[in-house]
Every structure is written in C-alpha cells, then in structure tokens.
Amino acid sequence: ILAFFADALLVLSFQTPLKKTNALIAQMGITFVNAYVPSALCCPSRASILTGKYPHNHHVVNNTLEGNCSSKLWQKIQEPYTFPALLKAMCGYQTFFAGKYLNEYGAEDAGGVGHVPPGWSFWYALEKNSKYYNYTLSVNGKARRHGENYSVDYLTDVLANMSLDFLEYKSNFEPFFMMIATPAPHSPWTPAPQYTKSFQNVSAPRNSNFNIHGKNKHWLIRQAKTPMSNSSIQFLDDAYRKRWQTLLSVDDLIEKLVKKLEVNGELDNTYIFYTSDNGFHTGQFSLPIDKRQLYEFDIKVPLLVRGPGIKPNQTNKMLVANIDLGPTILDIAGYDLNKTQMDGMSLLPLLRGDKNVTWRSDFLVEYQGEGYNGSDPTCPGLGPGVTHCFPDCVCEDSYNNTYACVRTLSASWDLQYCEFDDREVFVEVYNLTADPHQINNIAKTIDQEILEKMNYRLMMLQSCSGATCRTPGVFDPGYRFDPRLMFSNHGLRARRFSAQFL
C-alpha cells in the first residue's frame, strides 16, 4: 500500500501539472470527485488522516503545540492508535514514512527529532514545517542536516530516493505500507532548477468568485479589500505558478516509484492513493492566498486510487473524506474496523465497485480560528484577534473565525450549512447546485424546516464519535428528526463550537 500526500493542493488544477500522476494513477484507477477534509489546515487535517477521526475527537485544532500539533498529549493519547501503528502491530506490515509529518514535529518541548511515533519501521520525517532546502530530517530518530545543493538536498528528490531505496531493500516476506508526504506545493514554493521556467503563461483561475466582495458572509470575508490591489494579484499569480512548478518534481517522484513497483513485479498487487491535506484559495472573495475557510476551494481535495480489483478510468461521486483513509487502509489489510474508534468509513466497497453500498450523505467540517491577543501591526484598525494579515490589511484568520458546517450531498441536495461561534452566531448556507462558487448565502431565504434539520444534524455531528458519526444525514431515508430536541428558545443558535469541544 502506497500513499502520497501533497500539501495544500488545489483540487481544480491538480491534473494539469501532474500529467504523469494522472496517467499512472487516475487513468489506471478511480478518481473521487467529491473528496473533502474536515478541517482545511495542515496539522488538524493530517491528524484526521492518521487517526481516522474528526478534529473534535483527536483534539488537534491548529498548527501550534498549544493547539495539540505533535504535542506530548497527542503523542500519548492519539499516536499509539493511528492506522500505521495498527498496521505494524496488529497486521504485520513493514511501514515507511518520508516527508512532512505534523507542523510542530521535532519541537524540543515535545521530544525533538529523537521522537519516532509508534508504528513506523522506517522514519524519515521533516523537522517542523515545509521547506525545500536547509532543513533537518529525523532519520529513525537521528538528526540529519541538509543544505542547499540541488543534487543532494532538494527535499522532493530526497524523499523520492529514500522511497526507492526502501522498495529496493525491504523485506519481501512481509506486506508493506509507505506514506510519502511531500511539502510541495506548500510555501515557500521553491521549484527544482530545471522547472523554474515552466508555466510562464499560467495564472490563478478567474472563476466567478475571483476578486469579488464576499457579501453576506462572515465578517472576516467581508473585510477583504475589493478589488484587490495589483500587487496582491501579481503575488497570488506568482505563487500559483510556483506551486505548479514544485509539483513537477512530485510528478517525477510518483513516476519513479510506480516504475520501481513495476520492475519489482509488485505494481499489480499494490494499492496507491494520492491526495492532499487541504485545498487553497488564490483570490476568491478577494482573499489573496491561504486556506482555513469553509468554502469548496479550501476543503475539497483530489483523491486518486489504483490497485487490485479497481477498474481503470473510473470516477466516483460519493461524498468521501480524509477520515476514510485510515479505515480503508486497515480494511485492505484485513483488520477488524470494529476494534477502532475511527469516525470514517472504509472506501474499499467503493473501490471494488460493490453494488448497493450504503453510503453517507453528509459529513462535518469544523475549524477553530487562530488570533493574537494584540493587534496585528499591519492592521491596527481591525483590533486584536486577527492573524495572517497581508500588507494591504487583508487578514486570513481570526480567533472568532471558528465555525462548524454540515456538507450534504444527496440525490436531492448539494448543500452546505455553517454556523460561526461569534457574537453574531453567523449562519452561511449555500445551494451548490445553483451556486457552485458559493457566492450567494441563502441562510435568510431557505426553508425554515431545512434550517432546523441542518442545525440539529450539526449538533449531532459535533458530538459524534465512531459509529455515531456515520448515522443517516438529513436527506437520507433513514433520518429521523425530533423537533422537541431543538433549543426552542434559541431559534437557530446551536451549541457553542469552542475549545471545550475540541
């Protein structure tokens, strides 16, 4: 089993720079066109991949140690029960990790690079966050420093070479699992020298939500300056182009590993997954570049899978999430999923094309905003609590950018319902059938009964764990709604989404 995780990957454009990946994985297997993450930020999303849990169950809320990102608490409570730990201990797999683990991995306050999480036979993990040169790797718990010589230090290529070595020298008497997590295309967007001239005419997509005011949206979106400054547009276009350039090395990595599996005679017996930990926005609603928001461009990711029993060149429209990856891989390995506390579902029936599969019609999106107590020096007028601000005073996050959503996809509805934990208790609702770019917030015009049902369903999902996260959604035939359970004296005000529940 081989899993590739690119960092912060735009789902709308992944196939264009990744032509080899498209040919070797997508065209040889299945593309999930409705794949999502429950939190559009690196560390919470990666924690969901590893644990198969929603953020309110693994308790990683942001990219800091204080937010439980690779903290000692994470190491003690969650790491022993990740799917790689179960693969190694219970299923007899030899396991290999290379790349970016969690953003604060290697922090001195949490054991430094000497800490090797349980479940990994071979461990080549990047210290801290994304880099391409001048970084430190934990090589099975020993620090190895890399410089800025392309031929020996460019991280994407280093990960490729380590992975090829593993495939060359691993045991042939045990099944194997590899997780390769490239920082590309994450900032600082440093391409390999041979690709610095690629995509010179490429710019960020100009969809209908590009560089427009986010009317009827949460205040953080409404405060973005519209139209964006020329310097902001140039910046995001340059970033978009560089991101594509960095992905060409990822494309090369995937080609090398697939060819190696073929030479070894193992390709036809290996499942290969390709996905990302979150999406990315580039100018939508006049937000220059980042993630963290509730919209499709941030929460939707690519998911490609090839392997035994998967017919080539398929697409699947089922609603899937990164919490499903752990259960799927354990299911492939023959592990009893009832023995886990995972919130996700195994994709194996979908991969095999089983008929009459009962599947979810909704899932939970949740995010706890970050912000500093003091004012951001670039935006003193906005007061305390904002962060990730651009020079022309557009801030990408704030402490009350804290929200929870139900994303529903069924035969009758393509809907997103969101509530913010702020003084407004702001609500956003989008009908993506009529409005795929989420321009019009219909919270004040949609049928009141649907709002009440979605509010109730949101409360259920915010407190779910394991099997209760997989109960029927609002538009499933088996859904049961008891209006007596609503907070009748609070209207649509749901239970507060705060650190208490994360």
Side-chain angles (χ1 to χ4, degrees):
I1 306 172
L2 180 56
F4 298 103
F5 297 96
D7 198 320
L9 194 57
L10 283 152
V11 69
L12 297 177
S13 59
F14 78 96
Q15 287 184 331
T16 303
L18 293 168
K19 295 185 183 300
K20 299 171 185 176
T21 302
N22 188 45
L24 293 170
I25 305 180
Q27 293 179 18
M28 299 303 294
I30 188 168
T31 299
F32 288 91
V33 295
N34 291 304
Y36 292 86
V37 296
S39 186
L41 187 61
C42 309
C43 205
S45 185
R46 288 164 182 264
S48 286
I49 291 170
L50 290 162
T51 63
K53 296 178 181 179
Y54 283 121
H56 70 264
N57 287 328
H58 62 57
H59 308 290
V60 178
V61 298
N62 58 42
N63 289 344
T64 67
L65 278 178
E66 295 76 18
N68 203 30
C69 181
S70 205
S71 68
K72 288 186 176 180
L73 185 66
W74 156 266
Q75 294 171 13
K76 178 181 179 181
I77 295 179
Q78 301 296 337
E79 275 189 345
Y81 305 102
T82 61
F83 79 84
L86 295 174
L87 272 181
K88 186 173 185 292
M90 309 305 295
C91 304
Y93 272 65
Q94 50 190 325
T95 55
F96 170 94
F97 181 88
K100 176 181 172 181
Y101 179 59
L102 301 177
N103 296 56
E104 285 294 326
Y105 172 75
E108 288 302 319
D109 291 345
V113 296
H115 171 70
V116 178
W120 298 106
S121 314
F122 302 90
W123 178 253
Y124 303 95
L126 177 67
E127 179 189 38
K128 298 293 186 67
N129 202 3
S130 303
K131 290 185 178 181
Y132 296 78
Y133 294 108
N134 298 310
Y135 55 87
T136 297
L137 290 179
S138 170
V139 179
N140 297 318
K142 303 292 184 183
R144 178 187 294 174
R145 181 72 185 164
H146 281 261
E148 52 190 24
N149 181 342
Y150 168 71
S151 63
V152 294
D153 295 319
Y154 189 68
L155 182 56
T156 308
D157 294 349
V158 169
L159 299 180
N161 292 333
M162 289 175 165
S163 302
L164 290 170
D165 284 347
F166 171 75
L167 289 175
E168 178 69 25
Y169 298 113
K170 66 176 175 59
S171 167
N172 292 323
F173 301 102
E174 298 172 309
F176 70 89
F177 170 74
M178 303 177 71
M179 180 183 285
I180 304 166
T182 64
H186 196 285
S187 62
W189 316 304
T190 309
Q194 67 269 30
Y195 295 134
T196 56
K197 302 299 183 184
S198 301
F199 308 121
Q200 289 301 301
N201 297 321
V202 166
S203 57
R206 265 54 170 177
N207 293 326
S208 58
N209 57 7
F210 179 82
N211 199 16
I212 66 170
H213 184 254
K215 61 181 180 179
N216 299 320
K217 289 178 167 53
H218 182 229
W219 76 269
L220 185 66
I221 310 300
R222 297 197 304 266
Q223 59 86 33
K225 302 295 189 297
T226 306
M228 290 185 289
S229 66
N230 289 338
S231 59
S232 287
I233 292 176
Q234 183 177 350
F235 177 74
L236 68 88
D237 279 340
D238 288 345
Y240 191 90
R241 189 177 306 113
K242 290 175 183 176
R243 287 163 60 81
W244 275 31
Q245 291 169 355
T246 67
L247 284 172
L248 291 175
S249 294
V250 177
D251 212 28
D252 292 341
L253 176 154
I254 287 169
E255 180 187 41
K256 291 173 186 175
L257 291 177
V258 171
K259 284 185 175 179
K260 182 64 175 176
L261 288 169
E262 189 171 26
V263 168
N264 288 356
E266 296 175 319
L267 181 58
D268 292 340
N269 199 35
T270 301
Y271 287 92
I272 303 176
F273 295 77
Y274 181 87
T275 189
S276 180
D277 55 358
N278 50 258
F280 205 66
H281 57 256
T282 49
Q284 290 89 349
F285 305 126
S286 299
L287 298 172
I289 57 167
D290 199 49
K291 46 235 180 179
R292 307 166 196 270
Q293 308 306 333
L294 56 89
Y295 308 104
E296 293 284 285
F297 44 73
D298 283 359
I299 63 172
K300 198 169 188 179
V301 294
L303 177 57
L304 318 175
V305 192
R306 67 170 288 176
I310 302 176
K311 296 178 181 178
N313 212 21
Q314 292 187 81
T315 58
N316 186 290
K317 296 181 180 179
M318 294 295 196
L319 193 60
V320 302
N322 70 2
I323 57 173
D324 300 330
L325 295 172
T328 302
I329 292 167
L330 289 173
D331 197 12
I332 290 171
Y335 188 73
D336 182 359
L337 297 179
N338 293 322
K339 295 180 179 178
T340 76
Q341 298 299 313
M342 294 182 175
D343 304 331
M345 304 169 66
S346 171
L347 302 175
L348 193 53
L350 302 183
L351 298 178
R352 291 174 171 166
D354 292 356
K355 304 298 182 184
N356 301 319
V357 176
T358 300
W359 200 253
R360 68 162 69 85
S361 65
D362 66 11
F363 78 101
L364 175 69
V365 180
E366 51 189 353
Y367 179 68
Q368 182 170 314
E370 292 183 74
Y372 302 117
N373 290 330
S375 297
D376 190 290
T378 61
C379 296
L382 287 178
V386 295
T387 186
H388 294 81
C389 298
F390 283 79
D392 46 358
C393 199
V394 177
C395 298
E396 295 278 6
D397 207 1
S398 67
Y399 72 93
N400 68 347
N401 182 38
T402 294
Y403 57 82
C405 308
V406 180
R407 181 69 177 90
T408 289
L409 184 61
S410 67
S412 53
W413 285 97
D414 190 354
L415 190 72
Q416 186 172 10
Y417 171 91
C418 302
E419 294 179 0
F420 282 84
D421 182 15
D422 57 15
R423 284 179 294 182
E424 295 180 278
V425 195
F426 198 79
V427 177
E428 295 188 30
V429 183
Y430 298 97
N431 177 356
L432 284 94
T433 303
D435 179 24
H437 294 132
Q438 296 171 292
I439 295 170
N440 301 307
N441 179 8
I442 59 172
K444 295 181 179 178
T445 58
I446 195 170
D447 184 84
Q448 181 75 13
E449 183 181 356
I450 292 178
L451 280 180
E452 291 178 354
K453 287 183 176 181
M454 296 301 285
N455 170 264
Y456 174 66
R457 179 62 176 160
L458 180 60
M459 289 190 290
M460 296 299 100
L461 285 174
Q462 281 185 267
S463 58
C464 77
S465 179
T468 60
C469 297
R470 304 188 290 272
T471 53
V474 169
F475 299 106
D476 286 342
Y479 178 77
R480 295 292 178 266
F481 173 59
D482 185 351
R484 294 173 298 179
L485 298 177
M486 298 291 296
F487 295 123
S488 57
N489 61 329
H490 289 298
L492 290 174
R493 185 164 181 159
R495 187 193 61 169
R496 305 295 277 180
F497 178 73
S498 64
Q500 177 183 354
F501 297 104
L502 287 171

